């Protein structure tokens, strides 16, 4: 039977769920943890939930590495009784241990590449845990098929490599049952992690696209878990990714990690663009680190290409078999110039494009006929399908045609090796090749060029004295669409779809002078040898430590259902404003200052009709009629609209255009608070804004009496932001000698007179109240954006300067859970209005009926 939590999750995520058989585990792995259990989960298996708030007695840091496959090889014993296991030395998961702290314990969670009978699973689990510190996740056959061969290989893998399912026969339509199988598999992986985790002391490092929703399952259990994710495939552009029907579910799941890693900046940029366009999240770069603010958490974005394991390659290069094989190959290809390709049999590797480029080179440069040989080593295909079969047929056809056209007795221009090749043999081919050619049309990383460079360098101890002083040289022709391309600045980069230019690049590579080849090789070898897999894992882990360092200082709690789940992390001093508490303090106070922003505070930003409701008018009128209150609406809007909207509120103070215009009540005259009333600068600024408005569809200019505002909320998100940055620089340049300030805000660029801010408005209100013998003993200040932060900031300085008493009860409150100088928050304008209504109801009924002027200062 399926677990209750799994069915609940799928029910929430998709509205339907499949019936999948899943054998019940007879015995659970012993939990490797020392924390008391506390029931804290919402809808998962309650009995197995452990809160991350519990103290731990463990003292050793440990990291749990989670991936689709464990770094072990398994094979059936000869007597067919049980299994024998050994480490897979080629596994990246095993190699990355070299970069982790020596004292750190490493535990692996993943699946096996073999089918283990359910009867044997308990014994196999115990053996792997005891001998290898591995925890296997056994996936039922139906879930495995839908998870790996279905959603991973038919949906995610093609999409992340820019292949869209244009028809049912090309890529296949989205199948929700495959998505549900993917979710079910991730759920099983999470259960294995939960069985062995110590949430207070362990780090979790999740690998690759197979497990992109795993962070949500783990974060639901442990709010403060230190967790990183690294994507080893490309991340497509937002135009491609947004075609995925479960796009937001996967994005939000990834954002439950603390650190998300990518091989290249392009992949990270695409991910950040998706977060911006789909979730409205903007990233910031501080001191070289990229971070995304998400409900009070800062999620780190790591850009670091993985490297190779230098020790493993050097050990293979030192083997006698390798030396013998090199000598054999040199004899076989004597007098020939070898170009080498090493690829998986995959539709994205561009093998046939490489063959066509070789054919073109032989046509355009006949001197290489009889001399140049392309050796193409093709590893067995991992996937299956019609597309792959078509590619294999094309490759075979091309090989046959080229060899028939250009072949001679004792010479074949294409040597196609379509069989498993040992490391020793592969490295021997690297050693004799003059140039390595990689023409993948899309690849997450591709370490073939790195391996080639190190093999061309060789191991000096294994070379004879006559060869040890020979300068090493190598050449690379690489596709610009692979992850390692940016780090290989000496390579000749090509667009593999352009067969002619690739052919010319191959000719250039093998025709280049030895001195140039040597310089390029030395540059590449310095990079590859220092940026190995240990460097990569050490760098990622250090960034994970840095990103997670404040986890236990903040208050965290989870909100949301299904894949909308996220953790809200706030500073211990930042908390939600309690209506009961503020009403209690409000009733005890004598002189109250209430400062309210308008848009985004009492009026939702998304509302098209910006006129305040009768409810808001009634509440604000009631508050301003209380003689103990001094109430101000402090807004960036113009005085005409604000005075018209709030005309029923006779005793309400209004600070319009961020305080340039100010009046204390409807019966008072408007004061001009700016330092300068000369608006000649508008003749300079307005033409610049019009220029950008014409070039930016969806933007517009708002003309105020004292300011000009350029809005780009309705423009394309990326282009609007880019234009705003460009305009900001442009305006600052042309207005450098004018008495104005140019500022950017939420979807705006504003030019306004110097010395005008909401902070100065607040300071003037507090000072005037004190001068008139009514020093505020209660301050409520509410706003939602950057300009309101100036009011929150001025409150602290007002207390230190004596304008406000140290005993003043201050409620600085921002709208929305986000970093702020305020100490309180309310979630949205609805909660703000509810809180103000509670204060209005608490006001003295007798005083509200008094229509005298004593409530105005």
């Amino acid at each position: 039977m399926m677990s209750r939590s799994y069915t609940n999750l799928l029910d929430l995520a998709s509205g339907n769920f499949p019936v999948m058989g899943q054998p019940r585990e007879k015995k659970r792995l012993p939990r490797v943890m020392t924390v008391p259990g506390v029931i804290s989960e919402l809808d998962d298996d309650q009995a197995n939930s452990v809160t991350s708030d519990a103290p731990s007695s463990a003292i050793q840091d440990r990291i749990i590495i989670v991936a689709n496959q464990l770094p072990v090889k398994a094979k059936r014993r000869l007597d067919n009784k049980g299994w024998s296991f050994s480490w897979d030395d080629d596994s990246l998961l095993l190699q990355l241990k070299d970069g982790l702290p020596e004292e750190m314990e490493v535990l692996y969670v993943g699946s096996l590449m073999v089918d283990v009978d359910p009867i044997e699973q308990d014994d196999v689990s115990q053996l792997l845990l005891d001998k290898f510190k591995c925890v296997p996740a056994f996936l039922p056959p139906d879930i495995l098929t839908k998870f790996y061969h279905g959603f991973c290989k038919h949906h995610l893998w093609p999409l992340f490599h820019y292949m869209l399912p244009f028809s049912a026969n090309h890529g296949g339509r989205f199948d929700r049952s495959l998505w549900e199988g993917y979710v079910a598999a991730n759920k099983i992986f999470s259960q294995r992690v939960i069985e062995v985790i110590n949430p207070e002391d362990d780090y979790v490092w999740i690998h690759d696209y197979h497990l992109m929703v795993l962070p949500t399952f783990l974060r639901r259990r442990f709010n403060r878990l230190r967790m990183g994710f690294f994507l080893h495939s490309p991340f497509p552009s937002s135009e491609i990714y947004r075609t995925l029907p479960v796009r937001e579910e996967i994005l939000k799941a990834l954002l439950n990690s603390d650190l998300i890693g990518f091989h290249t900046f392009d992949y990270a940029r695409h991910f950040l663009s998706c977060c911006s366009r789909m979730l409205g999240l903007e990233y910031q770069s501080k001191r070289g680190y990229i971070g995304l603010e998400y409900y009070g958490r800062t999620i780190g974005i790591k850009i670091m290409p993985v490297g190779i394991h230098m020790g493993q390659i050097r050990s293979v290069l030192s083997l006698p078999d390798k030396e013998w094989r090199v000598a054999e190959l040199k004899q076989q290809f004597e007098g020939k110039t070898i170009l080498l390709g090493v690829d998986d049999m995959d539709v994205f590797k561009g093998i046939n494009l490489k063959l066509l480029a070789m054919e073109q080179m032989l046509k355009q440069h006949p001197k290489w006929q009889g001399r140049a040989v392309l050796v193409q080593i093709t590893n067995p295909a991992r996937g299956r399908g019609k597309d792959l079969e078509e590619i294999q047929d094309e490759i075979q056809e091309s090989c046959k045609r080229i060899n028939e056209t250009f072949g001679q007795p004792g010479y074949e221009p294409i040597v196609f090796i379509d069989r498993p090749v040992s490391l020793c043999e592969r490295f021997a081919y690297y050693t004799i090749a003059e140039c390595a050619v990689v023409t993948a049309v899309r690849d997450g990383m591709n370490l073939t060029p790195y391996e080639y460079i190190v093999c061309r360098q060789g191991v000096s101890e294994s070379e004879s004295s006559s060869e040890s002083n020979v300068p090493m040289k190598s050449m690379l022709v690489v596709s610009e669409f692979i992850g390692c391309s940016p780090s290989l600045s000496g390579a000749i980069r090509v667009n593999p779809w352009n067969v002619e230019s690739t052919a010319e690049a191959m000719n250039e590579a093998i025709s280049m002078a030895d001195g140039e080849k040597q310089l390029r090789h030395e540059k590449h070898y310095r990079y590859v040898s220092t940026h190995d897999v240990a460097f990569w894992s050490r760098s990622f882990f250090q960034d994970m430590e840095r990103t997670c360092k404040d986890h236990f200082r903040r208050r965290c709690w989870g909100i949301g259902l299904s894949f909308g789940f996220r953790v809200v992390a706030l500073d211990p001093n930042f908390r939600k404003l309690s209506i009961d508490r503020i009403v209690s303090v409000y009733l005890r106070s004598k002189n109250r200052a209430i400062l309210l922003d308008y848009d985004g505070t009492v009026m939702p930003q998304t509302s098209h009709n910006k006129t305040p409701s009768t409810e808001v008018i009634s509440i604000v009128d009631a508050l301003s009629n209380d003689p103990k209150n001094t109430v101000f609406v402090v807004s960036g809007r113009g005085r005409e609209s604000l005075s018209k909207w709030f005309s029923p509120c006779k005793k309400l103070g209004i600070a319009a255009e961020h305080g340039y215009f100010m009046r204390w009540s409807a019966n008072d005259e408007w004061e001009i608070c700016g330092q300068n009333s000369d608006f000649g600068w508008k003749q300079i600024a307005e033409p610049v804004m019009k220029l950008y408005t014409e070039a930016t569809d969806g933007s517009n200019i708002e003309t105020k009496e004292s300011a000009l505002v350029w809005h780009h909320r309705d423009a394309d998100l990326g282009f609007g932001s880019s234009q705003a940055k460009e305009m900001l620089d442009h305006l600052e340049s042309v207005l450098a000698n004018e008495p104005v300030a140019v500022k950017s805000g939420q979807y705006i660029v504003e030019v306004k007179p110097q010395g005008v801010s909401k902070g100065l408005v607040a300071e003037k209100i507090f000072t005037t109240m004190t001068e008139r013998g009514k020093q505020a003993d209660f301050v409520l200040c509410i706003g939602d954006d950057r300009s309101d932060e100036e009011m929150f900031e001025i409150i602290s300085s007002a207390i230190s300067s004596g304008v406000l008493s140290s005993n003043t009860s201050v409620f600085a409150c921002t709208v929305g859970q986000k970093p702020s100088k305020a100490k309180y928050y309310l979630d949205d304008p609805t909660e703000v209005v509810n809180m103000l209504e509670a204060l209005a109801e608490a006001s003295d009924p007798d005083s509200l009926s008094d229509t005298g002027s004593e409530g105005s200062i």
Side-chain angles (χ1 to χ4, degrees):
M1 285 292 293
M2 204 183 312
S3 72
R4 175 182 56 80
S5 56
Y6 165 52
T7 55
N8 283 352
L9 177 72
L10 292 182
D11 192 24
L12 289 167
S14 61
N16 63 342
F17 48 87
V19 177
M20 297 181 184
Q22 183 173 334
R24 185 184 301 276
E25 292 183 343
K26 291 185 171 64
K27 183 175 73 176
R28 302 185 70 84
L29 283 176
R31 186 187 294 275
V32 187
M33 58 193 306
T34 56
V35 295
V38 179
I39 297 175
S40 64
E41 190 50 54
L42 299 177
D43 70 349
D44 270 341
D45 303 327
Q46 296 286 341
N48 301 319
S49 176
V50 176
T51 179
S52 62
D53 294 327
S56 169
S57 60
I59 57 173
Q60 184 183 23
D61 275 343
R62 186 176 65 169
I63 188 166
I64 299 175
I65 296 174
V66 194
N68 180 42
Q69 293 181 354
L70 290 171
V72 295
K73 297 177 181 178
K75 64 179 180 179
R76 198 75 177 168
R77 288 178 183 166
L78 295 176
D79 58 6
N80 206 33
K81 295 180 180 179
W83 296 85
S84 62
F85 298 94
S86 61
W87 287 115
D88 181 1
D89 293 329
D90 295 335
S91 172
L92 174 69
L93 305 181
L94 188 63
Q95 296 170 355
L96 64 79
K97 288 176 63 175
D98 291 358
L100 300 175
E102 288 185 14
E103 69 280 2
M104 174 165 276
E105 181 185 358
V106 179
L107 201 66
Y108 295 100
V109 176
S111 63
L112 292 168
M113 295 183 66
V114 295
D115 293 326
V116 178
D117 192 286
I119 299 174
E120 300 176 300
Q121 289 178 4
D122 286 339
D123 293 333
V124 167
S125 296
Q126 199 63 54
L127 174 64
L128 287 172
L129 182 63
D130 293 342
K131 298 295 179 65
F132 296 90
K133 293 187 178 177
C134 289
V135 180
F138 298 110
L139 302 180
D142 55 344
I143 291 181
L144 175 62
T145 300
K146 292 183 177 183
F147 158 64
Y148 185 74
H149 298 294
F151 195 74
C152 288
K153 289 302 180 184
H154 282 178
H155 287 316
L156 289 181
W157 179 256
L159 187 78
F160 280 26
H161 289 76
Y162 289 73
M163 181 185 286
L164 291 173
F166 290 115
S167 68
N169 295 325
H170 183 80
R173 298 299 190 197
F174 178 79
D175 184 341
R176 188 160 291 276
S177 71
L178 301 185
W179 160 246
E180 291 162 355
Y182 181 83
V183 172
N186 277 248
K187 173 72 174 179
I188 292 171
F189 277 89
S190 74
Q191 290 168 342
R192 307 307 276 174
V193 174
I194 290 168
E195 286 178 345
V196 296
I197 197 170
N198 184 341
E200 296 296 315
D201 298 292
D202 292 348
Y203 290 88
V204 176
W205 186 357
I206 302 167
H207 289 264
D208 222 4
Y209 66 96
H210 312 88
L211 302 174
M212 288 197 293
V213 300
L214 178 58
T216 288
F217 285 111
L218 296 178
R219 188 65 72 190
R220 287 176 69 87
R221 287 296 188 115
F222 312 113
N223 288 349
R224 293 190 176 93
L225 182 63
R226 297 174 290 187
M227 178 165 46
F229 179 92
F230 196 93
L231 183 67
H232 293 274
S233 78
F235 195 94
S237 67
S238 65
E239 288 76 12
I240 298 293
Y241 180 78
R242 283 186 291 161
T243 64
L244 186 64
V246 289
R247 57 191 190 177
E248 289 193 14
E249 288 90 332
I250 289 177
L251 269 192
K252 290 176 179 178
L254 287 175
L255 292 172
N256 275 315
S257 305
D258 297 300
L259 181 67
I260 305 173
F262 301 91
H263 285 306
T264 71
F265 174 69
D266 271 351
Y267 304 160
R269 178 168 56 85
H270 295 158
F271 174 78
L272 293 170
S273 175
C274 289
C275 290
S276 174
R277 289 179 175 275
M278 293 163 52
L279 304 178
L281 304 178
E282 296 297 332
Y283 74 90
Q284 291 184 328
S285 183
K286 294 181 180 178
R287 299 184 178 180
Y289 297 111
I290 299 175
L292 270 174
E293 289 294 329
Y294 188 58
Y295 289 94
R297 296 169 53 238
T298 300
I299 298 152
I301 303 298
K302 176 73 174 175
I303 302 166
M304 175 64 68
V306 70
I308 56 177
H309 194 279
M310 293 294 293
Q312 182 195 37
I313 295 180
R314 284 171 175 160
S315 65
V316 174
L317 290 176
S318 301
L319 294 174
D321 285 352
K322 180 263 179 184
E323 295 295 327
W324 170 82
R325 188 64 178 144
V326 167
E328 183 183 53
L329 292 175
K330 283 183 177 179
Q331 183 179 357
Q332 178 183 345
F333 295 104
E334 186 177 3
K336 304 294 189 296
T337 298
I338 306 300
L339 297 97
L340 179 65
V342 179
D343 302 280
D344 293 336
M345 179 55 74
D346 188 320
V347 296
F348 300 110
K349 299 303 181 186
I351 297 173
N352 198 50
L353 293 174
K354 188 187 309 179
L355 298 175
L356 296 177
M358 180 67 179
E359 182 179 33
Q360 182 71 16
M361 186 187 79
L362 295 176
K363 287 179 182 177
Q364 293 296 113
H365 303 279
K367 65 179 181 179
W368 293 114
Q369 295 179 18
R371 295 172 53 200
V373 176
L374 172 62
V375 177
Q376 177 61 51
I377 298 174
T378 306
N379 302 318
R382 298 180 187 177
R384 57 199 182 198
K386 183 180 177 182
D387 291 338
L388 187 60
E389 292 172 3
E390 290 177 354
I391 289 290
Q392 289 173 318
D393 291 342
E394 284 183 14
I395 291 171
Q396 294 294 342
E397 184 181 334
S398 295
C399 288
K400 182 180 178 181
R401 183 185 68 252
I402 296 168
N403 283 336
E404 287 178 351
T405 304
F406 299 101
Q408 304 170 8
Y411 167 73
E412 284 190 336
I414 306 295
V415 176
F416 188 71
I417 302 174
D418 187 16
R419 59 173 172 80
V421 173
S422 67
L423 267 181
C424 191
E425 184 178 1
R426 188 168 89 227
F427 287 4
Y429 275 106
Y430 283 144
T431 303
I432 68 162
E434 192 71 19
C435 175
V437 185
V438 182
T439 54
V441 296
R442 191 72 59 180
D443 208 348
M445 185 59 194
N446 199 311
L447 295 175
T448 294
Y450 288 12
E451 293 178 346
Y452 167 70
I453 290 163
V454 176
C455 289
R456 289 290 287 178
Q457 179 72 16
V459 181
S460 57
E461 292 83 359
S462 68
E463 307 290 348
S464 64
S465 59
S466 62
E467 295 178 327
S468 59
N469 294 323
V470 176
M472 304 300 174
K473 61 185 188 297
S474 64
M475 274 307 298
L476 288 167
V477 175
V478 299
S479 165
E480 63 189 62
F481 303 120
I482 63 177
C484 66
S485 175
S487 60
L488 298 170
S489 56
I492 302 176
R493 298 190 183 101
V494 296
N495 171 7
W497 299 103
N498 188 333
V499 172
E500 290 78 12
S501 68
T502 304
E504 287 303 316
M506 292 164 67
N507 173 63
E508 180 186 351
I510 56 180
S511 304
M512 192 175 288
D514 285 352
E516 180 67 16
K517 292 180 182 178
Q518 179 188 343
L519 290 173
R520 294 183 184 222
H521 170 80
E522 289 173 353
K523 183 177 185 179
H524 288 157
Y525 183 74
R526 279 196 302 271
Y527 176 84
V528 172
S529 60
T530 54
H531 292 72
D532 60 357
V533 66
F535 178 88
W536 169 76
S537 63
R538 180 166 51 252
S539 179
F540 187 90
F541 180 73
Q542 288 172 350
D543 271 22
M544 188 154 54
E545 283 187 308
R546 176 186 55 78
T547 306
C548 301
K549 70 180 187 300
D550 291 334
H551 268 30
F552 299 100
R553 187 183 66 82
R554 295 189 169 194
R555 295 184 302 118
C556 301
W557 64 90
I559 59 175
L561 298 174
S562 186
F563 289 112
F565 177 85
R566 64 271 189 197
V567 166
V568 178
L570 300 174
D571 188 278
N573 296 322
F574 188 60
R575 54 191 181 275
K576 190 164 187 175
L577 184 59
S578 166
I579 293 181
D580 290 342
R581 180 168 183 270
I582 193 173
V583 168
S584 172
V585 177
Y586 179 87
L587 290 171
R588 296 197 303 268
S589 55
K590 304 294 183 184
N591 297 304
R592 310 174 188 126
I594 300 175
L595 282 60
L596 307 174
D597 174 42
Y598 186 69
D599 290 285
T601 300
V602 295
M603 172 60 65
Q605 288 281 14
T606 54
S607 176
H608 291 285
N609 181 6
K610 296 298 183 180
T611 305
S613 65
T614 54
E615 179 190 19
V616 169
I617 293 292
S618 174
I619 291 169
V620 171
D621 187 41
L623 288 172
S624 57
N625 276 329
D626 189 326
K628 297 179 180 179
N629 295 346
T630 299
V631 183
F632 264 83
V633 170
V634 185
S635 172
R637 287 192 172 272
R639 57 177 173 173
E640 183 177 344
S641 56
L642 288 174
S643 58
K644 177 182 177 181
W645 290 341
F646 289 99
S647 57
C649 308
K650 302 301 182 183
K651 297 183 180 179
L652 173 68
I654 296 177
E657 300 191 17
H658 297 293
Y660 185 84
F661 298 107
M662 188 173 174
R663 77 177 187 195
W664 290 82
S665 71
N667 298 324
D668 295 324
E669 296 295 323
W670 287 99
E671 303 174 27
I672 295 178
C673 303
Q675 299 174 356
N676 197 306
S677 57
D678 179 9
F679 296 106
W681 54 266
K682 283 189 176 183
Q683 298 175 5
I684 303 172
E686 193 165 16
V688 174
M689 286 189 170
K690 284 183 177 178
L691 182 70
Y692 285 86
T693 303
E694 291 170 4
T696 312
D697 188 37
S699 65
N700 65 281
I701 302 172
E702 179 188 0
T703 302
K704 300 180 180 179
E705 291 182 69
S706 68
L708 290 173
V709 186
W710 188 72
H711 295 267
H712 60 95
R713 179 180 291 276
D714 296 327
D716 176 85
L717 188 64
F719 184 55
S721 298
S722 173
Q723 291 287 79
K725 291 175 184 177
E726 184 70 24
M727 179 193 285
L728 188 71
D729 291 340
H730 196 159
L731 289 172
E732 285 178 341
S733 174
V734 299
L735 297 172
N737 297 321
E738 300 294 328
V740 294
V742 185
K743 292 188 176 183
S744 63
Q746 193 172 28
Y747 302 111
I748 66 164
V749 175
E750 183 172 23
V751 184
K752 61 182 182 181
Q754 290 177 347
V756 175
S757 74
K758 290 186 178 181
L760 294 175
V761 171
E763 185 176 35
K764 182 169 185 176
I765 292 170
F766 299 149
T767 302
T768 305
M769 289 178 69
T770 300
E771 289 174 350
R772 299 186 180 181
K774 289 193 172 185
Q775 186 181 54
D777 57 0
F778 172 97
V779 173
L780 172 61
C781 182
I782 314 178
D784 75 307
D785 66 15
R786 193 179 304 173
S787 63
D788 301 307
E789 294 294 318
E790 297 169 344
M791 290 196 290
F792 304 148
E793 192 172 15
I794 208 70
I795 292 172
S796 298
S797 60
I799 292 175
S800 60
S801 65
V803 174
L804 292 177
S805 168
S806 58
N807 296 322
T808 300
S809 298
V810 175
F811 296 90
C813 179
T814 189
V815 181
Q817 299 168 16
K818 57 183 182 289
S820 172
K821 293 182 175 68
K823 288 189 176 181
Y824 298 93
Y825 75 89
L826 290 169
D827 286 324
D828 51 43
T830 301
E831 289 195 350
V832 173
V833 172
N834 290 340
M835 183 272 296
L836 294 176
E837 184 178 24
L839 296 184
E841 290 174 352
S843 291
D844 183 359
D846 295 333
S847 66
L848 298 185
S849 62
D850 183 1
T851 56
S853 61
E854 57 184 338
S856 174
I857 294 179

